[in-house]
Amino acid sequence: MSGIILPGADGVLFQRDRDWHPKADTPGYKSTTFRAPKHSLLALGPTKSELTGPTFGHEKLGTLDNDLIRNFSQDGTDAIGQRLVVYGQVLDENARPVPNTLVEYWQANAGGRYRHKKEGYLAALDPNFGGFGRSITDENGFYHFRTIKPGAYPWPNTGNDWRPAHIHFSVFGHAFAQRLITQMYFEGDPMIWQCPIVGTIPDKSAIDQLIARLDRHNTTPMDALAYRFDIVLRGRRSTMFENKLEGN
Amino acid sequence: MLHPTPILKETPSQTAGPYVHIGMTPNFCDITGVIDTDLGKTMLNGAIEGERIDIVLRLIDGAGVPLSDGVVEIWQADASGNFLGPTTPDSNSAPAFTGWGRQPANETGELRFETIKPGRVPGPDGKLMAPHVALWIVARGINIGLQTRLYFADEVEANTGDFVLNKIMDKRRRETLIARREDGPVPRYVLDIHLQGEKETVFFDM
């Protein structure tokens, strides 16, 4: 076998629990109405094409890629808002750390305004806040970044819906079939339980998995609060052996 | 025999939302100066074995409206049927072919990958699968990324024996994965992805 494949890259993945994830068609979130397939998904185990996936080297990252307080700053001025460190561990379903994987994140500014040409919310842009960052997990699967706490914002769904404060996450893992996009919410936010997008997830304990915990122990004194958000990707049923590519 | 079971639950998916570009293609939405080039924009970084092609996708919803806010990632083998990947975790290598690409749709729901035609890869049955590209589609209104594949219309014989295509019982629906070839200086393979409706694309639970 040639090519760059990480150890275990051909181990079969656990099937996705699609009752734990949101269904495609969730009427409370209106945008799903015409974007949800009506046919059932065709159940197939991943093949080699989905059990492999891209990996990214640490050299891809710039020094400020994980610092949203500074990485868009025009003149070295910090972004406005409550200063945070967000950190966590990327694991698989076997509770094994996922090292050297790319984590991307994006968010609105402290007033709930996104820096995007299609966004017209009247809350002001912060000239020193872009809202984008990325990390590669370390050898133990940990990532961290500095940011400001995003504000809630209104969106056109029913007459008066507001998103809770949230940060979007994109995680790669080491297999294309592990690819995941999700959203992180903040402990104690009452708006979590009123949100139609959160409400696409049927199980309360699954929603709970998206709520980052305030972590007083890891605050930076006189500087930033800390929130911990761990992410679990699909796990492999076994690691690969050269003579047993299909796993067990 | 003991069947291994997961210890932790997978983190549940949520929609990428309408502003996915901020995080996945920041330069495309004018967040410049943070990173030089949007990740996945370029798959070819030099001379590479294989036929140079463009893959052109169009994303369409159940009302016939283009998904101008969609983002698609592709993952494919090289011309020899090997998966290479952008780099190894601790190297400075920038291989001539990354195998992975990411593109945002334009206002007409269209997006284009400059790539090469993939070679054949062994399938779970031990036979070679037909040349194909794995697709992953996210957007506002999509709660969990949609997984599908693109096959090539000029690979009739290989497609007929393909492990995955043959799992689609309704043979008419196999056509939804087969991109038509348009010849030109660089051949284009064009595929419409219908999320819903009469021509609905086959999506997989991979």
Side-chain angles (χ1 to χ4, degrees), chain A residues 9 16 29 73 77 87 97 99 101 107 119-120 166-167 173 198 206 236:
Chain A
R16 243 181 189 146
Y29 174 25
S73 178
T77 307
Y87 83 102
T101 197
Q107 63 169 89
E119 160 68 289
H166 65 280
I167 300 176
V198 175
R236 295 178 191 277

Side-chain angles (χ1 to χ4, degrees), chain B residues 50-109:
Chain B
E51 185 186 10
R52 179 64 188 85
I53 62 166
D54 283 350
I55 287 175
V56 179
L57 306 175
R58 202 159 60 100
L59 309 178
I60 305 151
D61 77 8
V65 176
L67 269 73
S68 59
D69 52 9
V71 173
V72 178
E73 291 181 9
I74 69 172
W75 173 240
Q76 64 166 93
D78 69 10
S80 308
N82 293 315
F83 291 96
L84 293 172
T87 184
T88 49
D90 292 305
S91 82
N92 287 310
S93 65
F97 178 62
T98 67
W100 176 80
R102 173 194 277 170
Q103 293 289 341
N106 66 16
E107 286 304 314
T108 64

Side-chain angles (χ1 to χ4, degrees), chain B residues 9 11 27 32 35 39 46 56 61 101-103 107 113 116 131-132 137 149 161 170 187 192 198:
Chain B
K9 294 297 286 186
T11 297
N27 290 289
T32 56
I35 60 170
L39 200 67
V56 179
D61 77 8
R102 173 194 277 170
Q103 293 289 341
E107 286 304 314
F113 296 89
I116 52 154
H132 65 274
I137 302 160
R149 280 185 175 189
D170 182 347
D192 290 347
E198 270 181 45

Side-chain angles (χ1 to χ4, degrees), chain A residues 158-174:
Chain A
T158 60
N160 185 22
D161 282 318
W162 292 73
R163 295 305 320 284
H166 65 280
I167 300 176
H168 297 262
F169 277 75
S170 150
V171 192
F172 279 79
H174 296 150

